[in-house]
C-alpha cells in the first residue's frame, strides 16, 4: 500500500533521513520506534508532503505521491494525526469533528461517538477544555471520520498518563482488528507500540537499522536493552 524507497531528507545541509526504505501492506499495523531526534516525525511529514524530500520516492497504491501537494495526498486516503494534534481549542468537540470533511453525516458522527463515548458526553465542550487524553482521542476520532485508507499517528501517547495510554491503544487496536484499518504508528513508547503492532521498524540517526515482526523483535536482546529497558 505504502512504499518508501531510498528516501533522503535534509534540513538545510543536515540530513535527517538517509536512504529510508519502508513498506506498509494493506491491513497491516506497522510501528516505527526510535529515540528523540531519530527522524520519525520527519518521515511522516515527508510521506504527507509536508516536508520536501531530497531524493528517493514514495508510492501509495503504486501512485507516486512524493511529488504531490499535501491536499492531494490526503485526498488519496492518507491521514496524519500530528504530535501536536492539530485541534481547534476554542471550538467545540463536535465542531472539531465535523471539520474532518465537508459532508460528515449524522450516522458517521454517531459511529465515532460509539467508539469514543467520552467525546459524546463532552461534544458541546470546547476542545481546549478536555484532558490531554480526551484531546488525543478527539484527534484520532477526527482522523477516523475522514475515512483514511492509511492512518499515520505521531507519538499519540506523548504526555499521557499510563491508564489513558492503555485506553488509547485499546481503541487503536480495535480500529485495526475490527475495522481493518491500516496504521503506521510512530512511538517513543517502544514496548506499547511493539505489543500492538505486527511489524516494527527501528530508526537511529535518520536510518532504519532494524525491521521485522514485532513479536520477534520484542524478544531480541539488542532491542530489549536499547529500547525496552530490559
Ligand atoms: P521526536 O521523537 O523528538 O519527535 P523524531 O524521531 O520525530 O524525534 P525528528 O523530529 O524527525 O525526529 O527530527 C530529526 C532530526 O531533524 C533532528 O536532528 C532534529 O533536530 C532535526 N529537525 C527536525 N525538524 C527540524 C527543522 N524544522 N529544522 C531543522 N532541523 C530539524
Amino acid at each position: 500500500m505504502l512504499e518508501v524507497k531510498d528516501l533522503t531528507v535534509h534540513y538545510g545541509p543536515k540530513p535527517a533521513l538517509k536512504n529510508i526504505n519502508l513498506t506498509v501492506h494493506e491491513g497491516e499495523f506497522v510501528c516505527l520506534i526510535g529515540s528523540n531526534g531519530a527522524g520519525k516525525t520527519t518521515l511522516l511529514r515527508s510521506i504527507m508532503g509536508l516536508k520536501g524530500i531530497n531524493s528517493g520516492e514514495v508510492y501509495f497504491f503504486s501512485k507516486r505521491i512524493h511529488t504531490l501537494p499535501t491536499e492531494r495526498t490526503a485526498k488519496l486516503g492518507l491521514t496524519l494525526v500530528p504530535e501536536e494534534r492539530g485541534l481547534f481549542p476554542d471550538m467545540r468537540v463536535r465542531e472539531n469533528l465535523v471539520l474532518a470533511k465537508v459532508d460528515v453525516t449524522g450516522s458517521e458522527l454517531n459511529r465515532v461517538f460509539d467508539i469514543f463515548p467520552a467525546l459524546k458526553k463532552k461534544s458541546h465542550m470546547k476542545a481546549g477544555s478536555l484532558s490531554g487524553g480526551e484531546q488525543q482521542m478527539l484527534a484520532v476520532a477526527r482522523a477516523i471520520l475522514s475515512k483514511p485508507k492509511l492512518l499515520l499517528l505521531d507519538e499519540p501517547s506523548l504526555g499521557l498518563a499510563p491508564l489513558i495510554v492503555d485506553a488509547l491503544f485499546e481503541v487503536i487496536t480495535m480500529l485495526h482488528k475490527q475495522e481493518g484499518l491500516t496504521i503506521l504508528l510512530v512511538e517513543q513508547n517502544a514496548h506499547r507500540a511493539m505489543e500492538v503492532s505486527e511489524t516494527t521498524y527501528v530508526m537511529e540517526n535518520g536510518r532504519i537499522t532494524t525491521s521485522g515482526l514485532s513479536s520477534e523483535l520484542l524478544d531480541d536482546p539488542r532491542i530489549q536493552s536499547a529500547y525496552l529497558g530490559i
Side-chain angles (χ1 to χ4, degrees), residues 11 14 16 35-42 83 155 188:
Y11 290 103
K14 194 178 156 235
S35 50
N36 242 324
K40 306 180 299 297
T41 296
T42 302
E83 198 173 307
E155 303 257 8
Q188 271 193 54

Side-chain angles (χ1 to χ4, degrees), residues 114-142:
D114 284 345
I115 300 172
F116 301 92
L119 296 181
K120 185 173 188 176
K121 282 192 216 132
K122 301 196 172 176
S123 67
H124 293 290
M125 286 174 64
K126 288 194 172 167
S129 71
L130 301 182
S131 68
E134 288 165 344
Q135 289 192 23
Q136 189 63 63
M137 297 283 190
L138 177 55
V140 175
R142 190 176 61 185

Side-chain angles (χ1 to χ4, degrees), residues 3-8 19-22 55-59:
E3 217 170 324
V4 176
K5 288 187 177 172
D6 238 3
L7 188 72
T8 294
N19 303 103
I20 300 292
N21 287 288
L22 176 144
S55 59
E57 294 166 317
V58 185
Y59 290 90

Side-chain angles (χ1 to χ4, degrees), residues 40-41 44 80-83 136 152-156 184-186:
K40 306 180 299 297
T41 296
L44 294 188
L80 170 67
V81 179
E83 198 173 307
Q136 189 63 63
L152 307 155
L153 296 166
D154 195 358
E155 303 257 8
L184 175 56
L185 167 70
V186 158

